[in-house]
Amino acid sequence: MRFIILTLFPEAFKSYFDISLIKRALSKKLIKIEVRNLRDWAKDAHKTLDDRPYGGGVGMVMRADVMDRALTALKSKIKSQKSKVILLTPQGQVFNQKLVNKLADYKTLILICGRYEGFDERIRKLVDMEISIGDYVLTGGEIPAMAVLDTVARLVPGVVGKFESTVNESFSDGLLEYPQYTRPENYKGMKVPKVLLSGNHKKVEVWRKQQALKRTRKRRPDLLR
Ligand code: ADE
């Protein structure tokens, strides 16, 4: 799977892609990441990407013509039909695991990170979808782009090994994950539930399902609606 990130700050991504599962996925060529600087498509000598808003007001607005040139150039290199251009913005569809699962079916994702006060509205016409990672405002779309890349890359076969499996984890079945325990069996009087020591796999499975439901009902009743 291929990810193309369009940003004003390519350097923001380097350290994150150089650790843990993403680093391994890159070296095993399970995923490919290209980080491109939007400024490369600015035409004037000052490499201007933004301008003052028509009608007045504070802040600068990202220009649609620069974005259009960047996307046209990037899309012309993509052979597969299975690609999606995603704009990261607090006004987008709120991100969740269901959407992650859908995005994992694509061959190429182009992730556009915004900066400045906002976008020229016409940029919205150039993209396939808009995603928000939550109801709060970040200084830019770089962290949201990393969140999308990270969550989708985990679902690419081979990225997460069988020891770190994506099968039994929070949201994999629409529920929060059941409680987990490891040694010691008794820690400061807090004991591991007996059923987990019983060796009875059927009972363990039933207990875990009940616990997942109980926990979800208590912490995230919205997931059960
Ligand atoms: N850019 C700034 N805030 C954002 C958010 N919550 N989600 C996606 N992109 C953003």
Side-chain angles (χ1 to χ4, degrees):
M1 179 150 192
R2 182 175 173 200
F3 298 89
I4 302 173
I5 297 171
L6 204 45
T7 173
L8 287 173
F9 299 99
E11 64 277 19
F13 294 88
K14 284 196 187 85
S15 62
Y16 192 71
F17 297 155
D18 205 27
I19 55 165
S20 188
L21 296 188
I22 299 296
K23 180 180 181 172
R24 193 177 71 185
L26 284 167
S27 68
K28 283 165 77 182
K29 297 197 163 43
L30 299 171
I31 60 170
K32 198 173 164 209
I33 304 174
E34 284 168 57
V35 183
R36 301 297 304 266
N37 195 332
L38 191 54
R39 224 170 270 288
D40 293 348
W41 286 278
K43 269 195 166 152
D44 61 318
H46 300 292
K47 300 272 177 198
T48 318
L49 298 168
D50 60 335
D51 217 326
R52 289 183 308 248
Y54 279 117
V58 289
M60 299 292 270
V61 175
M62 200 176 263
R63 290 169 59 125
D65 56 343
V66 182
M67 189 67 78
D68 195 11
R69 277 198 295 278
L71 290 175
T72 305
L74 293 172
K75 283 199 263 186
S76 74
K77 292 198 307 180
I78 298 171
K79 285 169 231 117
S80 164
Q81 294 299 302
K82 271 285 208 188
S83 69
K84 224 170 180 45
V85 179
I86 299 170
L87 179 65
L88 283 317
T89 156
Q91 295 189 23
Q93 176 182 348
V94 179
F95 201 43
N96 60 21
Q97 191 63 39
K98 230 183 230 160
L99 187 48
V100 175
N101 297 345
K102 276 192 201 149
L103 294 180
D105 277 342
Y106 287 83
K107 289 249 179 304
T108 304
L109 296 182
I110 299 182
L111 303 168
I112 306 171
C113 311
R115 282 273 158 177
Y116 305 111
E117 299 299 311
F119 304 100
D120 184 303
E121 188 63 20
R122 292 163 291 190
I123 288 179
R124 300 206 139 89
K125 298 269 186 289
L126 307 174
V127 307
D128 299 316
M129 75 180 304
E130 299 176 32
I131 291 179
S132 161
I133 60 161
D135 292 340
Y136 41 81
V137 180
L138 294 115
T139 53
E142 284 74 17
I143 288 173
M146 281 186 221
V148 172
L149 184 147
D150 189 280
T151 49
V152 173
R154 288 179 77 248
L155 299 186
V156 172
V159 171
V160 172
K162 66 172 185 273
F163 294 111
E164 304 119 349
S165 169
T166 59
V167 178
N168 281 317
E169 63 183 6
S170 288
F171 310 112
S172 62
D173 54 0
L175 301 175
L176 300 183
E177 196 186 9
Y178 49 79
Q180 296 263 42
Y181 295 87
T182 185
R183 287 190 291 180
E185 210 177 297
N186 183 342
Y187 180 63
K188 294 184 174 173
M190 294 180 282
K191 293 181 185 147
V192 174
K194 281 211 173 65
V195 61
L196 299 179
L197 310 171
S198 69
N200 184 330
H201 297 302
K202 192 77 214 153
K203 270 194 182 162
V204 169
E205 202 183 304
V206 170
W207 180 85
R208 285 181 167 164
K209 185 81 192 175
Q210 283 169 345
Q211 291 293 316
L213 262 169
K214 191 174 155 193
R215 178 158 284 199
T216 309
R217 214 174 280 132
K218 184 147 189 251
R219 297 184 182 202
R220 293 292 307 276
D222 57 299
L223 294 176
L224 297 169
R225 264 179 237 129

